[in-house]
Amino acid sequence: MAHSDTVDRILDAAEELFADRGFSETSLRMITSKAKVNLAAVNYHFGSKNALIHAVFARFLTPFSATLENAFDELEERCDGKPPTLNQTLWALTESAVRMPQRNEKGISIFMRLLGLAYTQSQGHLRKFLEQEYSEPFSRFMRLLKEATPQLSSVDRYWRIQFMLGATAFTMSSSDALRDILQNKLGVETTVQEIAARLVPFLAAGMQAEDAMLIPPAGSRVSVA
Amino acid sequence: MAHSDTVDRILDAAEELFADRGFSETSLRMITSKAKVNLAAVNYHFGSKNALIHAVFARFLTPFSATLENAFDELEERCDGKPPTLNQTLWALTESAVRMPQRNEKGISIFMRLLGLAYTQSQGHLRKFLEQEYSEPFSRFMRLLKEATPQLSSVDRYWRIQFMLGATAFTMSSSDALRDILQNKLGVETTVQEIAARLVPFLAAGMQAEDAMLIPPAGSRVSVA
DNA sequence: GTGCGCTTCAAACGTATGTTTCAAACAGAC
DNA sequence: GTCTGTTTGAAACATACGTTTGAAGCGCAC
């Protein structure tokens, strides 16, 4: 066979370990022993650890980016001419993520956690890779956001997009841990879909908040000893 | 002198390097050479790398937590009896952070970036340390949030707090980079105080959004090939 | 069978890490 | 000065890492 399943076993193991522990904290030896393949297989099939990281991202980001393009196409077509609303735009993104075909039951949360790590764990090579490979759907999303919030100044919009990104990446990147805590504390089960359903209204409301007040409300002074 | 300035030089260097590169990616040799002290000094004064990480956090978290307690005291006194509003609570937190005496001009953003890393870079020992040492102001903040948002269910509130935390930690943890981007793209200068001033209304609006809709709005279906 | 790609394997390489060691330098008390 | 406890210094230690090597194994055309 052209591609022994070694490649996929490595990708599966790497994906899960990266999501659990981060990139630097995951060694090739952990990956290859989890995948039950020889240590040298990673360098043979991928070339380097960094290239393996790229491959892990590419495996889900490439189909996701295609799905997202379709979702945006359909959305813009349905709105023919008029710019889609903020809610519609956010939902198009969310649904594209949630509806991606999953490799296993943890699929979507691994996906999210990796994206969070990609932003957070400042691996220069990764950021560069993602920007080069997936700039198009990203800027399209930005354009839609801009058209959906014409009332915001560029600066306000810029910062609020960062806030949205942060809330999403952070929550999703630790969604497993957060779900566990919730399960233990309140005895509530939660799916990633439900988290997303809670997140979108939060983001939309924040994005459309009244003008940022640049001065704290009267009487909120804090004494500093 | 009982404490040669070696200790502080190490803490200063470690703080900055951790904030720039994360914990695992910062070696003791980087720290000691930046601090211009001997490699063994870290283990002599702190015992281990993990203990150094704890010390870096304790150095700013301990005074901050005291400042925060004062701010909450004053806030509750001013409101005598009635629970403080969400905005007041968030501002009390924000101002306490912003008004902390700074060691240098980067003070507050290093502070924020480290907090972001603490949550993000899942170092078990760090999370445990922070929970043990600073649980009190944390749970007090949680109680204030609860009283300020009685309309929310526990589950909704839980998730929205995570969203707030994420937006804050993420934004602040990369605030230097984000400020630079903004400077280059739009030619706008920004201070951490201004970022905070934009963040608080965003968070408050998200926190008080209408009930999370658990079903996407009609007509937002996404075709999946 | 023989020969030829591709893949696997055990072992080693070079480097970097956190930590330890132990002698030298130092400060302050007597 | 001399002694004593603390701090610094250069060097080594053990371990872990990513990567490379070269032989062995494999499937398949001829």
Side-chain angles (χ1 to χ4, degrees):
Chain A
M1 53 200 90
H3 244 203
S4 83
D5 69 343
T6 301
V7 167
D8 292 302
R9 298 244 298 284
I10 292 175
L11 285 173
D12 288 341
E15 184 178 86
E16 200 162 332
L17 285 169
F18 285 153
D20 275 0
R21 327 174 22 97
F23 305 110
S24 314
E25 292 79 5
T26 302
S27 71
L28 291 185
R29 284 167 175 83
M30 293 179 199
I31 294 170
T32 53
S33 85
K34 181 183 178 88
K36 294 194 174 63
V37 303
N38 187 272
L39 170 61
V42 170
N43 286 279
Y44 174 76
H45 286 288
F46 297 94
S48 70
K49 184 182 179 180
N50 280 351
L52 169 62
I53 296 178
H54 295 176
V56 167
F57 275 85
R59 184 166 65 150
F60 70 74
L61 230 36
T62 299
F64 170 67
S65 130
T67 303
L68 190 58
E69 295 274 11
N70 287 343
F72 285 158
D73 286 345
E74 198 190 321
L75 179 58
E76 292 199 295
E77 190 186 352
R78 199 169 56 241
C79 294
D80 57 13
K82 282 194 268 299
T85 69
L86 179 59
N87 254 295
Q88 286 174 318
T89 305
L90 293 179
W91 273 111
L93 178 68
T94 310
E95 294 225 310
S96 298
V98 167
R99 301 242 179 131
M100 284 288 293
Q102 315 283 318
R103 248 182 311 284
N104 59 54
E105 78 282 357
K106 298 199 219 159
I108 185 71
S109 51
I110 289 189
F111 174 111
M112 289 298 181
R113 166 104 173 122
L114 286 176
L115 276 185
L117 285 180
Y119 260 92
T120 264
Q121 208 139 323
S122 65
Q123 306 248 6
H125 68 96
L126 222 192
R127 197 172 289 215
K128 200 168 296 177
F129 170 76
L130 295 177
E131 279 169 7
Q132 279 177 4
E133 297 294 318
Y134 304 101
S135 70
E136 211 230 300
F138 182 75
S139 23
R140 188 168 177 193
F141 178 61
M142 288 299 169
R143 184 174 57 74
L144 286 171
L145 280 185
K146 180 169 181 176
E147 292 168 359
T149 56
Q151 79 279 12
L152 292 181
S153 73
S154 295
V155 178
D156 272 336
R157 188 182 306 111
Y158 172 86
W159 281 111
R160 292 185 180 188
I161 289 174
Q162 300 304 328
F163 302 156
M164 291 205 299
L165 208 57
T168 308
F170 176 88
T171 304
M172 293 308 186
S173 85
S174 40
S175 65
D176 277 347
L178 297 178
R179 274 216 307 275
D180 288 350
I181 293 171
L182 196 54
Q183 164 73 24
N184 290 340
K185 229 172 56 174
L186 302 175
V188 182
E189 297 272 7
T190 323
T191 66
V192 175
Q193 283 79 354
E194 284 170 22
I195 301 176
R198 292 181 195 280
L199 183 51
V200 168
F202 178 95
L203 298 181
M207 200 72 188
Q208 292 169 318
E210 289 299 301
D211 275 0
M213 51 186 133
L214 289 172
I215 292 163
S220 77
R221 233 120 250 265
V222 167
S223 80
V224 180
Chain B
M1 52 200 90
H3 243 203
S4 82
D5 68 345
T6 302
V7 167
D8 292 302
R9 297 243 298 285
I10 293 175
L11 285 173
D12 288 340
E15 182 178 87
E16 199 161 334
L17 285 169
F18 286 154
D20 275 0
R21 327 174 22 98
F23 305 110
S24 314
E25 293 78 4
T26 302
S27 72
L28 291 186
R29 283 167 176 82
M30 292 178 200
I31 294 171
T32 53
S33 84
K34 182 184 178 87
K36 294 194 174 62
V37 302
N38 187 272
L39 169 61
V42 170
N43 286 280
Y44 175 76
H45 286 288
F46 297 94
S48 71
K49 184 182 179 180
N50 280 352
L52 170 62
I53 296 178
H54 295 175
V56 166
F57 276 85
R59 185 166 64 148
F60 69 76
L61 230 37
T62 300
F64 170 66
S65 129
T67 303
L68 191 57
E69 295 274 13
N70 287 341
F72 285 157
D73 286 346
E74 197 190 321
L75 178 59
E76 292 199 295
E77 190 185 352
R78 199 168 56 238
C79 295
D80 57 12
K82 281 192 268 298
T85 68
L86 179 60
N87 253 294
Q88 286 174 317
T89 305
L90 293 179
W91 273 112
L93 178 68
T94 311
E95 294 225 310
S96 298
V98 166
R99 301 241 180 131
M100 284 288 294
Q102 314 283 317
R103 246 180 315 282
N104 59 54
E105 77 282 357
K106 296 199 221 159
I108 185 71
S109 51
I110 288 190
F111 174 113
M112 289 298 180
R113 167 103 173 122
L114 285 176
L115 275 185
L117 286 179
Y119 260 91
T120 265
Q121 207 138 323
S122 67
Q123 306 249 3
H125 68 96
L126 221 191
R127 197 173 289 214
K128 201 168 296 178
F129 169 77
L130 295 177
E131 278 169 7
Q132 280 177 4
E133 298 293 319
Y134 304 101
S135 70
E136 211 230 299
F138 183 74
S139 22
R140 188 167 177 193
F141 178 62
M142 287 300 169
R143 184 175 56 75
L144 287 170
L145 280 185
K146 181 169 181 177
E147 292 168 1
T149 56
Q151 78 280 12
L152 292 181
S153 74
S154 295
V155 178
D156 271 336
R157 188 182 306 110
Y158 172 86
W159 282 111
R160 291 186 182 188
I161 288 174
Q162 300 304 328
F163 302 156
M164 290 204 301
L165 208 57
T168 308
F170 177 88
T171 304
M172 293 308 186
S173 84
S174 39
S175 65
D176 277 348
L178 297 178
R179 275 217 306 276
D180 287 351
I181 293 171
L182 196 56
Q183 165 72 24
N184 289 341
K185 228 172 55 175
L186 302 175
V188 182
E189 296 273 7
T190 323
T191 67
V192 175
Q193 283 78 353
E194 282 170 23
I195 300 176
R198 293 180 193 281
L199 183 52
V200 170
F202 178 95
L203 298 181
M207 201 71 189
Q208 293 169 315
E210 289 297 303
D211 273 1
M213 50 187 133
L214 289 172
I215 291 162
S220 76
R221 233 119 248 270
V222 167
S223 79
V224 180

